[in-house]
Amino acid sequence: MNPGKKDEDSDAGLFYHIDKSVVLQEARAFNETPINPRKCRLILTKILYLLYQSETFQTKEATEAFFSVTKLFQSQDVALRQMVYLVIKELANIAENVFFVTSSLIHDMNQKADVIYRANAIRALCKVTDPSMMQGIERFLKQAIVDKNPSVSSAALVSSLHIFNANKEVVKRWANEVQEAINSKGTITQYHALGLMYQIRQHDRMAVIKLVQNYARGSLRSPLAYCMLIRYASKIMEEEDPSQRSLYEVLEGWLRHKHDMVVYEAARAICNLRDVTSKELFPAVSALQLMLVNHKPTLRFAAIRTLNKLAMTHPTAVFPCNMDMENLITDPNRSIATFAITTLLKTGNEASVDRLMKQITGFMSEISDEFKVIVIDAIRSLCLKFPAKQSLMLNFLSNVLRDEGGYEYKRAIVQAIFDIIHHIPESKEFALSHLCEFIEDCEFTKLAVRILHLLGVEGPKTKTPSKYIKFIYNRVILENATVRAAAVSSLARFAVEIEDLRERIKVLLTRCLDDTDDEVRDRAAMFLKLLGNADLCQKYVADESTFAWASLERNLVNYTNEPALHTKPFDISSTPIISKAEEAAERSRARAAAEELVSPTLRTPTAAGAATGVASGARGAVATSSGDAQAGYAAAMDRVPQLAVLGHLFKSSKPLELTESETEYVVTCIKHVFPEHLVFQFNCKNTLNDSLLENVNVVTTIESSDDEDATLLKQELAIPIDSLKYDVPGTAYVVFRRPGGVCPTATFSNTLKFIVKDCDPGTGEPDEEGYEDEYLLEDLELVTADYVLPSFIVDFKRAWEELGDANEIVETYSLTNAASIKAAVTNIIEQLGMQPSESTGTVADRATTHALLLAGTFAGGVPCLARCRMAYEQSSGVTLELAVRSGSEVVSQKVANAIS
C-alpha cells in the first residue's frame, strides 16, 4: 500500500477529537494585537466544523463567540474576512443581538468594485437582519441587485429569495430592479433574477404567462434561466385544459435551442404533460432520439431515462427510437444500457421478443443486482403483455435464478414467476417445475417458504400433482426447521385436496412426528388429526375465506372502547368475510401506493369547534394499511362528538362527484349507513384563490321517491365547515334518522350555502365583510346497494340451501340496454352491491348464457344471496332471471326490485 495515499474513510485528521470548550478558549486569540490571520482562520474553521457536525452551542457561548469574531473586522486580510462572514452566518440563528454587526457589513458591501468579498457581506447581512429592520437595508439591497458585478448582483438576488417569505411586501417593491437584473449580461444573475421575479408574481397567473412569453423570444443568455422558464410554462399548462394549451408552441420552439440543456428540459416537459397526444409528443421524442446518439453520456442517460418513463404510458410514441436504443445495450455506461433494455421491453412487439431475450442473456452478467431487479420487472411486464412468449420468459427467469445473486434479486425473480402463474394459468406446471428445481438449492429461507406455500396452493390443481410430493418432502429431510414446517403444511394441502394421495402423505407426516423441532412435530400431529375428519379439513385447511382485517380491527376497537357493549359477547358476524385472493390483491394495492387519503386532512378538533363546526376536526383520516377506506371514514367520524354516538358504521359508499372537477367549488359525497341513521359526508374544496368561504353548509332535501319508507327519514343534524380556504379541503356532514332501521331509496337535492369573503390572493387575508351565496349541486341517489355489504362465501350451494325458499323472491327482467353478458354482470353487481361467489363475476368473451352468484349482508345483519341466470340474444339483449333468498321476505323483495 502506498503510504503517501490518503485514506478518505479514516477518522484521523486535523479536526478529529477537537473539543468545543478548547476551541472556544482558543478563540481568545481574536483579541490579540496584532491579529494573526493564519491562526484565526484555523480557529474559525474549527468553529465551523463543530457547527457542521451538529455540536450544540448554548446561546451564551454562541453570543460570546459571535462578538469575539466581530473584532476580526480590524484585519484587512481578505481570506480571513471571508471566513468571518461564514461564521457570522452560522452563528446568527443562535447568538443574541447579532444586528450590532450590521453597520460593518453595510460598509463592506459598499466597498470599491474590485473588493471580492462584497457578495459575502451581502449574504451575511441578510442573515443577521431582523425582518422588522429590513427597511433599513432596503436601499443597499436594491443597489446591489442592479450592480454591474455579477457575483454581487447574484448574492443580493439569492438573499432576497431567502427573505421573501418573511418580508413579501418589501421584496415585491423591488420588481423594477429585479426586471433590470433579468436583462443584465450575467448568466447566473439572469437565472436568480428570474427565480425572484416568479416568486413575486406567482399568484398572478396572467403575469406569469406574460413573463414566460416575454422571455421566450430569445432575450435571455442563460440556459439555466431558460430551463426555469420551461418549468414555469409546464406549471401553467398543468392547470389548463389539455385541448387549450396556450404555451405548447413556446415549448416546441425551445426544442430547437442551441443549448442541449434547454432542448432536453423542453422535451421532458412535453413528455410529462397531462393527457398529451401522440402528435404533441412527436417533436419531443425526435429531439430525445437525437440525444441517444450524442457523444455525451449525460445526455444519453437523460434521454433514455425520459423515454423509459414515457414508454409506460405511450409505448407507441417511443417505438420509432427502438433501433437507436438497441445500440445502447452495449453502451459502456451500464445505467444507460439498463434503461435501454427495459425501455425496449416496454415498447417491443411480439416479433422482437426473441431477439431481445438473446441480447439480455449476455447483458445480465455485466450489471449489478440493483439493475438486474429493474430488468426482471420489465421482463415480467413483457410476459404479461405477450402471454404466448411465457415459455421463453420462464426459461430465462429459471436460468438467471440459478446464477449468483443477493436476496432482493432472487426475490424479484421468484415474484415475477408468481405473477406469471397468477395471470397466465397455462404456464402453471412449467413454472412450478422451475421453482421445484430452485428450492433444491435455495439459500434463502424466506423464498423457500414462499415457494412451498405456493406449491401447496397450486400443486393440487395441476394434472399430475404427485410429482411435486418428492420435491416437498426433500425439504423435510434436508432443510432447516422453518422450511421443514412449511413443507409439512404444503404436504397437508395435497392430502386434503387429493384423496388418492392422502394415505401416502399420512405416512410421510407420521415420519415428521419424530422431528427434532417442536413446530414441525406440532404441525404434523395437527394435520394428521385433521385428515381424519373431512369437515375439519374444509374448515382449517381448504377454507379460502378470511376476515377483512381492517374491519375486524375497527370493530374490536369499538367493542373495547364502549363499556355498554360488554354485556354481550363480541359479534364477529358484523365483520365482512372476503376471499384470500381479495386479501392478496388488497395487499398488493397497499404496497404499490402510499396510504390512500380517504378524507381531506386539516386540523384536529378544538373545544370551540365542538359545538358549531366540528367537521373540521374529522377531516384528517388516512386509510389503514390494508387499504380499508371504510376504516378511515369511521376513524374520521369518531373524532366528531355528534357522529361518534351514532354507533357502528355498517357501510360506506364510494365517493360520488356532485360537481365537475373544473368548477369553482368541487364537491364529492360519501354515503354512510349506521344502525338507525344515514350520514352524508360532503368533501368540499374551494378552487378560487381570491375568496374565502365561511359557515359552509349543505342543504339536503328529499326530491322524489317511490318508497313509502322515505317519508320516515327526518334530518336530525347538519355540521357545517367553519372556514374553507383556497385549495384546502373541508368536510360537512348531514345526518338523517331512519327510525326502526328502515332502508328507503330516494333522490336528494343538494345546495351548497356559504358566506363569501373576498381575499388577497397573495397573502390570503380576507375582508371583514362578506355576503351570502349558494351553489347548486347534482342530485344524490340513495339506492338499495347502499344498504348491502358484500360478503364472501366458500360454498354458495350449501348457503343457498340453508337459507331455504321460505323468503325467496324471483323476478324476470329484460335488460335491453346491456350490450353483452359481461356488461350486464357489471351492472347487476353495481346495482345489488353484492360480492360475486365462485368466480362467477368473470365472464367469457361473447358468452350467450351465464349464471352469476352473489352474496351479501343487508343492513341489520340479514344474510342475503342472489342467483342471476342470464341469456343473451342480439335482437332482444339480455334476459335476466333473478332469484333472491334472505332471512327476511322484505329484504328479499327490496333486493329483487333493485334492478332498473
Side-chain angles (χ1 to χ4, degrees), residues 634-832:
M637 289 184 284
D638 283 344
R639 300 175 188 174
V640 183
Q642 297 97 317
L643 303 180
V645 298
L646 299 183
H648 170 69
L649 175 59
F650 176 73
K651 183 182 178 181
S652 299
S653 71
K654 294 180 180 178
L656 304 172
E657 293 186 356
L658 301 185
T659 63
E660 297 291 336
S661 58
E662 296 83 12
T663 55
E664 54 265 48
Y665 310 119
V666 179
V667 181
T668 59
C669 179
I670 299 127
K671 297 171 280 186
H672 305 291
V673 177
F674 287 86
E676 292 196 352
H677 293 84
L678 286 172
V679 176
F680 297 122
Q681 173 182 329
F682 296 95
N683 294 333
C684 309
K685 188 166 77 169
N686 172 21
T687 63
L688 301 178
N689 63 355
D690 59 353
S691 65
L692 171 71
L693 309 186
E694 293 186 348
N695 195 26
V696 182
N697 208 345
V698 181
V699 178
T700 301
T701 56
I702 299 177
E703 183 75 13
S704 61
S705 177
D706 296 330
D707 195 323
E708 294 179 357
D709 290 340
T711 58
L712 300 175
L713 290 177
K714 302 295 181 185
Q715 182 171 330
E716 191 173 86
L717 182 67
I719 304 176
I721 305 170
D722 293 337
S723 175
L724 194 61
K725 298 179 181 178
Y726 164 65
D727 208 31
V728 178
T731 303
Y733 294 97
V734 176
V735 182
F736 280 84
R737 182 173 183 81
R738 51 186 195 98
V742 295
C743 302
T745 57
T747 301
F748 292 82
S749 63
N750 308 285
T751 304
L752 195 67
K753 293 192 174 183
F754 44 83
I755 297 173
V756 184
K757 289 185 177 180
D758 295 331
C759 64
D760 183 352
T763 62
E765 290 295 326
D767 295 342
E768 292 185 3
E769 298 296 326
Y771 58 92
E772 292 185 358
D773 199 359
E774 61 181 45
Y775 189 82
L776 190 63
L777 306 176
E778 296 286 339
D779 288 346
L780 182 65
E781 298 283 344
L782 183 65
V783 295
T784 302
D786 294 325
Y787 301 103
V788 182
L789 189 67
S791 59
F792 174 82
I793 57 174
V794 179
D795 192 342
F796 183 88
K797 182 179 179 181
R798 181 177 177 181
W800 181 263
E801 291 173 352
E802 286 178 353
L803 279 176
D805 58 1
N807 298 320
E808 182 176 357
I809 301 293
V810 181
E811 299 284 354
T812 303
Y813 296 93
S814 180
L815 308 179
T816 55
N817 294 330
S820 64
I821 293 281
K822 183 178 286 189
V825 166
T826 302
N827 291 338
I828 292 168
I829 293 173
E830 183 178 345
Q831 291 180 23
L832 298 185

Side-chain angles (χ1 to χ4, degrees), residues 464-702:
T464 55
S466 59
K467 68 180 182 181
Y468 303 109
I469 302 297
K470 176 186 71 172
F471 295 101
I472 298 173
Y473 189 68
N474 282 347
R475 301 306 98 216
V476 177
I477 300 172
L478 303 172
E479 290 287 356
N480 58 51
T482 305
V483 177
R484 295 202 304 272
V488 167
S489 298
S490 185
L491 286 172
R493 291 295 296 257
F494 277 83
V496 170
E497 299 286 346
I498 306 163
E499 193 170 349
D500 294 342
L501 298 176
R502 187 170 300 170
E503 293 304 320
R504 293 158 59 187
I505 292 175
K506 279 185 176 181
V507 174
L508 300 179
L509 292 176
T510 303
R511 295 178 184 175
C512 297
L513 294 175
D514 298 325
D515 196 275
T516 57
D517 185 76
D518 55 353
E519 174 72 16
V520 179
R521 295 195 304 272
D522 290 350
R523 288 198 188 193
M526 181 189 73
F527 287 127
L528 283 170
K529 179 68 175 177
L530 294 179
L531 289 173
N533 188 314
D535 290 339
L536 291 178
C537 286
Q538 184 65 34
K539 183 176 181 180
Y540 292 108
V541 182
D543 188 10
E544 288 298 321
S545 64
T546 185
F547 290 104
W549 297 111
S551 296
L552 178 60
E553 179 188 14
R554 185 180 70 250
N555 294 346
L556 284 169
V557 169
N558 183 56
Y559 181 79
T560 55
N561 291 341
E562 293 291 338
L565 300 177
H566 297 173
T567 55
K568 54 184 179 180
F570 174 72
D571 182 14
I572 202 169
S573 63
S574 61
T575 302
I577 297 176
I578 60 174
S579 67
K580 290 180 179 177
E582 288 178 298
E583 184 195 15
E586 194 61 59
R587 275 207 212 103
S588 298
R589 285 194 292 272
R591 282 196 304 267
E595 289 183 333
E596 179 188 2
L597 191 66
V598 298
S599 182
T601 302
L602 281 184
R603 60 189 185 277
T604 55
T606 60
T612 58
V614 293
S616 59
R619 297 166 193 159
V622 177
T624 58
S625 58
S626 68
D628 184 8
Q630 189 167 317
Y633 297 132
M637 289 184 284
D638 283 344
R639 300 175 188 174
V640 183
Q642 297 97 317
L643 303 180
V645 298
L646 299 183
H648 170 69
L649 175 59
F650 176 73
K651 183 182 178 181
S652 299
S653 71
K654 294 180 180 178
L656 304 172
E657 293 186 356
L658 301 185
T659 63
E660 297 291 336
S661 58
E662 296 83 12
T663 55
E664 54 265 48
Y665 310 119
V666 179
V667 181
T668 59
C669 179
I670 299 127
K671 297 171 280 186
H672 305 291
V673 177
F674 287 86
E676 292 196 352
H677 293 84
L678 286 172
V679 176
F680 297 122
Q681 173 182 329
F682 296 95
N683 294 333
C684 309
K685 188 166 77 169
N686 172 21
T687 63
L688 301 178
N689 63 355
D690 59 353
S691 65
L692 171 71
L693 309 186
E694 293 186 348
N695 195 26
V696 182
N697 208 345
V698 181
V699 178
T700 301
T701 56
I702 299 177

Side-chain angles (χ1 to χ4, degrees), residues 2 39 49 227 282 309 446 457 512 517 601 622 784 832 838 841:
N2 182 2
K39 181 180 179 181
Y49 176 82
C227 290
F282 178 75
K309 183 180 178 182
K446 287 183 180 179
V457 173
C512 297
D517 185 76
T601 302
V622 177
T784 302
L832 298 185
E838 300 180 6

Side-chain angles (χ1 to χ4, degrees), residues 296-310:
K296 298 177 183 177
T298 50
L299 271 182
R300 296 200 303 274
F301 176 78
I304 192 64
R305 187 177 65 170
T306 303
L307 289 172
N308 180 274
K309 183 180 178 182
L310 182 63

